[in-house]
Amino acid sequence: MIDLYKAKKAFQNYISQYDMTIPSIRLKVVHTYKVMECSEYLCKQLHLSKENSDLASLIALLHDIGRFDQWMRFESFADHKTIDHALFSSQLLFEQGLIRGFIEDCQYDKIIQDAIEQHNRYRIDDGFDERSLLFIHLIRDSDKLDNFRVKEEERIEDILYVSLDKVNQEHISPAIYQQFFHQELIYAPNRQTHIDMWLSYIAFIFDLHFESSIQYIHDYHWVERSFERLQPVNPQVNQEYQTLKQIALEYIQKGVQYES
């Protein structure tokens, strides 16, 4: 049995040890609950059972639980420079035993662990059965969907750790431009500039699994809103930026037409 009320109380108790006045800590708390909302949206669109919907919500609640210690240790969320936050979250839950504070029933442990460990992978590992893949795709899509809200509501300084003026003066790395141009998910360690980072977030659309996720991006105009936050000052860079915007918009529009 999954008791989401109990799980949410346990989560509140867990995060109470962290300073909520730290922007990055607060950001991840809000993100956690918003990912749950995105998960609920997808589950409703997919007409999943209450059990499956509740399990997806629990995974969403716990998927970033390692982020808080990650920030306190390194003052960074860059996994390739610090620790893999998904594996660390899994270790906290299943090696250190925190999972039993969120759910007593152990029958879902393997699915929860697999979904959390796979949610930030560049590519999903092979070997998962259909049921496991359902929850892996749900948390991956839900996480990506809320990242668009995060990138709009939060200050650029709290997301990219530099001023907006500095970002707008940068260039787009050729490798990143080519990956985006060919509608590919961007491999994080390849990013060289903060504009590269920004484009890598928008490129999440190329890895969305569910048609409902594409519809969500379309309905909220997330591609347009994300691109509008930056205004590269170099004419050539701005032209490249607008080209990639058009590619992203066409990708979403095609996905919506395919669904209808």
Side-chain angles (χ1 to χ4, degrees), residues 225-236:
R225 292 159 70 174
S226 295
F227 269 98
E228 286 168 3
R229 289 213 70 185
L230 299 188
Q231 296 180 342
V233 296
N234 181 289
Q236 181 180 344

Side-chain angles (χ1 to χ4, degrees), residues 27 42 45 51 76 83 86 96-97 113 125 127 161 167 189 196 221 227 229:
L27 183 154
L42 291 178
Q45 297 300 311
E51 178 187 23
S76 172
I83 55 175
Q96 299 188 27
Q113 185 171 15
D125 293 341
Y161 311 115
V167 179
D196 290 350
H221 304 285
F227 269 98
R229 289 213 70 185

Side-chain angles (χ1 to χ4, degrees), residues 40-193:
E40 291 165 2
Y41 163 82
L42 291 178
C43 289
K44 183 177 180 180
Q45 297 300 311
L46 294 168
H47 306 290
L48 298 187
S49 67
K50 184 179 186 305
E51 178 187 23
N52 284 343
S53 297
D54 286 350
L55 179 54
S57 289
L58 181 62
I59 291 168
L61 180 70
L62 301 176
H63 82 285
D64 267 358
I65 199 166
R67 283 296 203 187
F68 306 103
D69 264 8
Q70 181 186 30
W71 179 263
M72 298 309 296
R73 293 184 188 185
F74 305 102
E75 291 192 358
S76 172
F77 289 134
D79 285 12
H80 63 286
K81 295 180 180 179
T82 59
I83 55 175
D84 184 320
H85 80 275
L87 290 179
F88 184 55
S89 296
S90 174
Q91 291 167 4
L92 287 176
L93 291 166
F94 296 99
E95 293 182 17
Q96 299 188 27
L98 293 184
I99 187 65
R100 293 284 78 85
F102 299 95
I103 180 171
E104 296 179 4
D105 192 340
C106 64
Q107 67 170 303
Y108 305 105
D109 283 8
K110 186 66 168 63
I111 289 177
I112 296 171
Q113 185 171 15
D114 287 341
I116 289 175
E117 290 183 358
Q118 294 293 315
H119 88 267
N120 70 332
R121 296 288 174 89
Y122 184 67
R123 292 284 183 263
I124 298 171
D125 293 341
D126 296 328
F128 294 106
D129 60 28
E130 185 176 349
R131 179 164 168 77
S132 295
L133 282 173
L134 169 65
F135 292 100
I136 290 170
H137 285 306
L138 279 169
I139 187 57
R140 284 173 66 90
D141 272 27
S142 298
D143 190 31
K144 289 178 172 67
L145 292 182
D146 186 60
N147 263 285
F148 284 90
R149 177 201 60 80
V150 172
K151 301 310 180 288
E152 176 171 276
E153 293 183 358
E154 300 296 333
R155 298 188 317 142
I156 291 294
E157 290 80 1
D158 292 332
I159 299 170
L160 301 179
Y161 311 115
V162 295
S163 69
L164 178 59
D165 286 342
K166 178 173 175 54
V167 179
N168 282 330
Q169 293 172 15
E170 293 180 337
H171 70 279
I172 301 171
S173 301
I176 301 304
Y177 181 86
Q178 288 298 319
Q179 277 197 289
F180 199 110
F181 187 87
H182 291 100
Q183 301 177 350
E184 298 172 0
L185 186 65
I186 290 172
Y187 186 54
N190 289 344
R191 302 174 302 190
Q192 301 296 316
T193 69

Side-chain angles (χ1 to χ4, degrees), residues 198-215:
W198 193 257
L199 288 170
S200 75
Y201 302 142
I202 303 174
F204 284 160
I205 62 173
F206 304 134
D207 192 53
L208 293 173
H209 179 77
F210 297 106
E211 292 176 355
S212 297
S213 298
I214 297 292
Q215 187 68 52

